[in-house]
Amino acid sequence: MIQALVAAAAGWWLAGLGWTVQATAYPGFADVPADRWAAHHAAHSRRIVWAVGPAWVVQGGATAWWLLTSFGVLSVVHAVAALGGVLLTVAWAVPVHSRLGDGFTADLGAALLRANAWRSVVFTAAAVLASAGAA
């Protein structure tokens, strides 16, 4: 089923990006000197949109397509997981990033890592579900 395959591709893109950011970018935030923090964080925030945005669009479209053409338990659970990843981003990670705009602290860095770990798990689950639907 092509809809699930497209959703799986976008889901693995988001999952892989999430785990890469978890292992590299976010821990590296602690190493940015305070006098360079604002510029670094602003650049990260601008650039990450180009990595995440297209995958969200593709995943959203493929998920809707899958739901409309093959409505069932697997497509619904996948949609809930995919939407959950987006909601975790909007409700948790984005507010932490907003607070980080004022300066990095270890507490905010830890909060961002927690938010990202949860959304990476959820996006991974969505990718697994879509892969199962494509099989």
Side-chain angles (χ1 to χ4, degrees), residues 17-75:
L17 179 61
W19 291 116
T20 299
V21 166
Q22 185 75 12
T24 61
Y26 288 167
F29 280 5
D31 298 330
V32 178
D35 64 330
R36 298 196 45 168
W37 172 254
H40 178 81
H41 185 257
H44 167 83
S45 297
R46 270 192 322 275
R47 291 176 182 140
I48 200 71
V49 169
W50 294 103
V52 174
W56 275 15
V57 170
V58 171
Q59 185 182 53
T63 298
W65 181 24
W66 188 13
L67 284 169
L68 291 171
T69 59
S70 298
F71 188 84
V73 172
L74 194 55
S75 62

Coordinates of all heavy atoms in Angstrom, one line a residue, residues 17-75:
L17 N 16.0 11.8 12.2 CA 16.3 13.1 12.5 C 16.3 13.3 14.0 O 17.2 13.9 14.7 CB 15.4 14.1 11.8 CG 15.7 15.6 12.1 CD1 17.1 16.0 11.6 CD2 14.7 16.4 11.3
G18 N 15.2 12.9 14.7 CA 15.0 13.0 16.1 C 16.1 12.4 16.9 O 16.7 13.0 17.8
W19 N 16.5 11.2 16.5 CA 17.5 10.5 17.3 C 18.9 11.1 17.0 O 19.8 11.1 17.9 CB 17.5 9.0 17.0 CG 16.3 8.3 17.5 CD1 15.3 7.7 16.9 CD2 16.0 8.2 18.9 NE1 14.4 7.2 17.7 CE2 14.7 7.5 19.0 CE3 16.5 8.6 20.1 CZ2 14.1 7.2 20.2 CZ3 15.9 8.4 21.3 CH2 14.7 7.7 21.4
T20 N 19.1 11.6 15.8 CA 20.4 12.3 15.5 C 20.5 13.5 16.3 O 21.6 13.8 16.9 CB 20.5 12.6 14.0 OG1 20.4 11.3 13.3 CG2 21.8 13.3 13.6
V21 N 19.5 14.3 16.3 CA 19.5 15.6 17.1 C 19.7 15.2 18.6 O 20.4 15.9 19.3 CB 18.2 16.3 16.9 CG1 18.0 17.4 17.9 CG2 18.1 16.9 15.5
Q22 N 19.1 14.1 19.1 CA 19.2 13.7 20.5 C 20.6 13.4 20.8 O 21.1 13.7 21.9 CB 18.3 12.5 20.7 CG 18.3 12.0 22.1 CD 17.4 12.9 23.0 OE1 16.7 13.7 22.6 NE2 17.5 12.7 24.3
A23 N 21.3 12.7 19.9 CA 22.7 12.3 20.2 C 23.8 13.3 19.9 O 24.9 13.3 20.4 CB 23.0 11.0 19.3
T24 N 23.4 14.3 19.0 CA 24.5 15.2 18.6 C 24.2 16.7 18.8 O 24.9 17.4 19.6 CB 24.8 15.1 17.1 OG1 23.6 15.3 16.3 CG2 25.3 13.7 16.8
A25 N 23.1 17.2 18.2 CA 22.9 18.7 18.3 C 22.5 19.2 19.7 O 23.2 20.1 20.2 CB 21.8 19.0 17.3
Y26 N 21.6 18.5 20.3 CA 21.1 19.1 21.6 C 22.2 18.9 22.7 O 22.4 19.9 23.4 CB 19.8 18.4 22.0 CG 18.6 18.9 21.2 CD1 17.4 18.3 21.3 CD2 18.7 20.0 20.4 CE1 16.3 18.7 20.6 CE2 17.6 20.5 19.6 CZ 16.4 19.8 19.8 OH 15.3 20.3 19.0
P27 N 22.9 17.8 22.8 CA 24.0 17.8 23.8 C 25.1 18.8 23.5 O 25.7 19.3 24.4 CB 24.5 16.3 23.6 CG 23.4 15.5 23.1 CD 22.7 16.5 22.2
G28 N 25.3 19.1 22.2 CA 26.3 20.1 21.8 C 25.9 21.5 22.2 O 26.8 22.4 22.3
F29 N 24.6 21.8 22.5 CA 24.2 23.1 22.9 C 25.0 23.5 24.2 O 25.3 24.7 24.3 CB 22.7 23.1 23.2 CG 21.8 23.2 22.0 CD1 22.3 23.2 20.7 CD2 20.4 23.4 22.2 CE1 21.5 23.3 19.6 CE2 19.6 23.5 21.1 CZ 20.1 23.5 19.8
A30 N 25.3 22.6 25.0 CA 26.0 22.9 26.3 C 27.4 23.4 26.0 O 28.0 24.1 26.9 CB 26.0 21.7 27.2
D31 N 28.0 23.1 24.9 CA 29.3 23.5 24.5 C 29.4 24.9 23.9 O 30.5 25.4 23.6 CB 30.0 22.5 23.6 CG 30.0 21.1 24.2 OD1 30.2 21.1 25.5 OD2 30.0 20.1 23.5
V32 N 28.3 25.5 23.6 CA 28.3 26.8 22.9 C 28.6 27.9 23.9 O 27.9 28.0 24.9 CB 26.9 27.1 22.2 CG1 26.9 28.5 21.5 CG2 26.6 26.0 21.2
P33 N 29.6 28.7 23.7 CA 29.9 29.8 24.6 C 28.7 30.8 24.7 O 28.0 31.0 23.8 CB 31.1 30.5 24.0 CG 31.7 29.6 23.0 CD 30.5 28.7 22.5
A34 N 28.5 31.3 25.9 CA 27.4 32.2 26.2 C 27.3 33.4 25.3 O 26.2 33.7 24.9 CB 27.4 32.6 27.7
D35 N 28.4 33.9 24.9 CA 28.4 35.1 24.0 C 28.0 34.7 22.6 O 27.7 35.6 21.8 CB 29.7 35.8 24.0 CG 30.9 35.0 23.5 OD1 30.9 33.8 23.6 OD2 31.9 35.6 23.0
R36 N 28.0 33.4 22.2 CA 27.6 33.0 20.9 C 26.3 32.3 20.9 O 25.8 31.9 19.8 CB 28.7 32.1 20.3 CG 30.0 32.9 20.2 CD 31.0 32.1 19.3 NE 30.2 31.7 18.1 CZ 30.7 31.2 17.0 NH1 32.0 31.2 16.9 NH2 30.0 30.9 16.0
W37 N 25.7 32.1 22.1 CA 24.5 31.3 22.2 C 23.3 31.8 21.4 O 22.7 31.0 20.6 CB 24.1 31.1 23.7 CG 22.7 30.5 23.7 CD1 21.5 31.0 24.0 CD2 22.5 29.1 23.4 NE1 20.5 30.1 23.9 CE2 21.1 28.9 23.5 CE3 23.3 28.0 23.0 CZ2 20.5 27.7 23.3 CZ3 22.7 26.8 22.7 CH2 21.3 26.6 22.9
A38 N 23.0 33.1 21.5 CA 21.8 33.6 20.8 C 21.9 33.4 19.3 O 20.9 32.9 18.7 CB 21.7 35.1 21.1
A39 N 23.1 33.6 18.7 CA 23.2 33.5 17.3 C 23.2 32.0 16.9 O 22.5 31.6 15.9 CB 24.6 34.1 16.8
H40 N 23.8 31.1 17.7 CA 23.8 29.7 17.4 C 22.4 29.1 17.5 O 21.9 28.4 16.6 CB 24.7 29.0 18.5 CG 24.7 27.5 18.3 ND1 25.4 26.9 17.3 CD2 24.0 26.5 18.9 CE1 25.2 25.6 17.4 NE2 24.3 25.3 18.3
H41 N 21.6 29.5 18.5 CA 20.3 29.0 18.7 C 19.4 29.5 17.6 O 18.5 28.7 17.1 CB 19.7 29.3 20.1 CG 18.4 28.7 20.3 ND1 17.2 29.4 20.3 CD2 18.1 27.4 20.6 CE1 16.2 28.6 20.5 NE2 16.7 27.4 20.7
A42 N 19.5 30.7 17.3 CA 18.6 31.3 16.2 C 18.9 30.6 14.9 O 18.0 30.3 14.1 CB 18.9 32.8 16.1
A43 N 20.2 30.3 14.6 CA 20.6 29.6 13.3 C 20.0 28.2 13.3 O 19.5 27.7 12.3 CB 22.1 29.6 13.1
H44 N 20.2 27.5 14.5 CA 19.6 26.2 14.6 C 18.1 26.2 14.3 O 17.6 25.3 13.6 CB 19.9 25.6 16.0 CG 19.1 24.3 16.2 ND1 19.6 23.1 15.8 CD2 18.0 24.1 16.9 CE1 18.7 22.2 16.1 NE2 17.7 22.8 16.8
S45 N 17.4 27.1 15.0 CA 16.0 27.2 14.8 C 15.5 27.4 13.4 O 14.5 26.9 12.9 CB 15.4 28.2 15.8 OG 15.7 27.9 17.1
R46 N 16.3 28.3 12.7 CA 15.9 28.6 11.3 C 16.2 27.4 10.4 O 15.4 27.0 9.5 CB 16.8 29.7 10.8 CG 16.2 31.1 10.9 CD 17.0 32.1 10.1 NE 18.5 31.9 10.1 CZ 19.3 32.4 11.0 NH1 18.9 33.0 12.1 NH2 20.6 32.1 10.9
R47 N 17.3 26.7 10.6 CA 17.7 25.6 9.7 C 17.0 24.3 10.0 O 16.7 23.6 9.0 CB 19.2 25.4 9.9 CG 20.1 26.5 9.4 CD 21.5 26.2 9.7 NE 22.3 27.3 9.3 CZ 23.4 27.8 10.0 NH1 23.8 27.3 11.1 NH2 24.1 28.9 9.5
I48 N 16.6 24.0 11.2 CA 15.9 22.8 11.5 C 14.6 22.7 10.8 O 14.1 21.6 10.4 CB 15.9 22.5 13.0 CG1 15.6 21.0 13.3 CG2 14.8 23.3 13.7 CD1 16.8 20.1 13.0
V49 N 14.0 23.8 10.6 CA 12.7 23.8 9.9 C 12.8 23.2 8.5 O 11.8 22.5 8.1 CB 12.2 25.3 9.8 CG1 10.9 25.4 8.9 CG2 11.8 25.8 11.2
W50 N 13.9 23.4 7.8 CA 14.1 22.8 6.5 C 14.3 21.3 6.5 O 14.0 20.6 5.5 CB 15.2 23.5 5.8 CG 14.9 25.0 5.5 CD1 15.3 26.1 6.2 CD2 14.0 25.5 4.6 NE1 14.7 27.2 5.7 CE2 13.9 26.9 4.7 CE3 13.2 24.9 3.6 CZ2 13.1 27.7 3.9 CZ3 12.4 25.7 2.8 CH2 12.3 27.0 3.0
A51 N 14.7 20.8 7.7 CA 14.8 19.3 7.8 C 13.5 18.7 8.3 O 13.2 17.6 7.9 CB 15.9 19.0 8.8
V52 N 12.8 19.4 9.1 CA 11.5 18.8 9.7 C 10.3 19.1 8.8 O 9.5 18.3 8.6 CB 11.3 19.4 11.1 CG1 10.0 18.9 11.7 CG2 12.5 18.9 12.0
G53 N 10.2 20.3 8.4 CA 9.0 20.8 7.7 C 8.6 19.9 6.5 O 7.4 19.4 6.5
P54 N 9.4 19.6 5.6 CA 9.0 18.7 4.4 C 8.5 17.3 4.9 O 7.6 16.8 4.4 CB 10.3 18.6 3.6 CG 11.0 19.9 3.9 CD 10.8 20.1 5.3
A55 N 9.2 16.8 5.9 CA 8.8 15.5 6.4 C 7.4 15.5 7.1 O 6.6 14.6 6.9 CB 9.8 14.9 7.4
W56 N 7.2 16.6 7.8 CA 5.8 16.8 8.4 C 4.7 16.9 7.3 O 3.7 16.3 7.5 CB 5.8 18.0 9.3 CG 6.3 17.8 10.7 CD1 7.0 16.7 11.2 CD2 6.1 18.7 11.8 NE1 7.3 16.9 12.5 CE2 6.7 18.1 12.9 CE3 5.5 19.9 12.0 CZ2 6.7 18.7 14.2 CZ3 5.5 20.5 13.2 CH2 6.1 19.9 14.3
V57 N 5.0 17.6 6.3 CA 4.1 17.8 5.2 C 3.8 16.4 4.5 O 2.6 16.0 4.3 CB 4.5 18.8 4.2 CG1 3.7 18.8 2.9 CG2 4.5 20.2 4.8
V58 N 4.9 15.7 4.2 CA 4.7 14.4 3.6 C 4.0 13.4 4.5 O 3.1 12.7 4.1 CB 6.1 13.8 3.1 CG1 6.0 12.4 2.7 CG2 6.7 14.7 2.0
Q59 N 4.4 13.4 5.8 CA 3.8 12.5 6.7 C 2.3 12.8 6.9 O 1.4 11.9 6.9 CB 4.5 12.5 8.1 CG 3.9 11.5 9.0 CD 4.6 11.5 10.4 OE1 4.6 12.6 11.0 NE2 5.0 10.4 10.8
G60 N 2.0 14.1 7.0 CA 0.6 14.5 7.2 C -0.3 14.1 6.0 O -1.4 13.6 6.1
G61 N 0.2 14.4 4.8 CA -0.5 14.1 3.6 C -0.7 12.6 3.4 O -1.8 12.1 3.1
A62 N 0.4 11.8 3.6 CA 0.3 10.4 3.5 C -0.6 9.7 4.5 O -1.3 8.8 4.3 CB 1.7 9.7 3.6
T63 N -0.5 10.3 5.7 CA -1.4 9.8 6.8 C -2.9 10.0 6.5 O -3.7 9.1 6.6 CB -1.0 10.4 8.2 OG1 0.3 10.0 8.5 CG2 -1.9 9.9 9.3
A64 N -3.2 11.2 6.0 CA -4.6 11.5 5.6 C -5.0 10.6 4.5 O -6.1 10.1 4.5 CB -4.7 13.0 5.3
W65 N -4.1 10.5 3.5 CA -4.4 9.6 2.3 C -4.7 8.2 2.8 O -5.7 7.5 2.4 CB -3.2 9.7 1.4 CG -3.3 8.9 0.1 CD1 -4.4 8.5 -0.6 CD2 -2.2 8.5 -0.7 NE1 -4.1 7.8 -1.7 CE2 -2.7 7.8 -1.8 CE3 -0.8 8.6 -0.5 CZ2 -1.9 7.3 -2.8 CZ3 0.0 8.1 -1.5 CH2 -0.5 7.4 -2.6
W66 N -3.9 7.7 3.7 CA -4.0 6.3 4.2 C -5.3 6.2 5.0 O -6.1 5.2 4.8 CB -2.8 6.0 5.1 CG -2.7 4.6 5.6 CD1 -3.4 3.5 5.1 CD2 -1.9 4.1 6.6 NE1 -3.0 2.3 5.8 CE2 -2.1 2.7 6.7 CE3 -0.9 4.6 7.4 CZ2 -1.4 1.9 7.6 CZ3 -0.2 3.8 8.3 CH2 -0.4 2.5 8.4
L67 N -5.6 7.1 5.8 CA -6.9 7.1 6.6 C -8.1 7.1 5.6 O -9.1 6.4 5.9 CB -7.0 8.3 7.5 CG -6.2 8.2 8.8 CD1 -6.2 9.5 9.5 CD2 -6.7 7.1 9.7
L68 N -8.1 7.9 4.6 CA -9.2 8.1 3.7 C -9.4 6.8 2.8 O -10.5 6.5 2.4 CB -9.0 9.3 2.8 CG -9.2 10.6 3.5 CD1 -8.7 11.8 2.6 CD2 -10.6 10.8 4.1
T69 N -8.3 6.1 2.5 CA -8.4 5.0 1.5 C -8.4 3.6 2.2 O -8.8 2.7 1.6 CB -7.3 5.1 0.5 OG1 -6.0 5.0 1.2 CG2 -7.4 6.3 -0.4
S70 N -7.9 3.6 3.4 CA -7.8 2.3 4.1 C -8.0 2.5 5.6 O -7.2 2.1 6.4 CB -6.4 1.6 3.9 OG -6.2 1.4 2.5
F71 N -9.1 3.0 6.0 CA -9.4 3.3 7.4 C -9.5 2.0 8.1 O -10.2 1.1 7.8 CB -10.7 4.1 7.5 CG -11.0 4.6 8.9 CD1 -10.5 5.8 9.3 CD2 -11.8 3.8 9.7 CE1 -10.8 6.2 10.6 CE2 -12.1 4.3 11.0 CZ -11.6 5.5 11.5
G72 N -8.7 1.9 9.2 CA -8.6 0.7 10.0 C -7.8 1.0 11.2 O -7.3 2.0 11.5
V73 N -7.7 -0.1 12.0 CA -7.0 0.0 13.3 C -5.5 0.5 13.1 O -5.1 1.5 13.7 CB -7.0 -1.3 14.1 CG1 -6.1 -1.2 15.3 CG2 -8.4 -1.7 14.5
L74 N -4.8 -0.1 12.2 CA -3.4 0.3 11.9 C -3.3 1.7 11.5 O -2.4 2.5 12.0 CB -2.8 -0.7 11.0 CG -1.3 -0.7 10.9 CD1 -0.6 -0.9 12.2 CD2 -0.8 -1.7 9.9
S75 N -4.1 2.1 10.5 CA -4.0 3.5 10.0 C -4.4 4.5 11.1 O -3.8 5.6 11.2 CB -4.8 3.7 8.7 OG -6.2 3.5 9.0

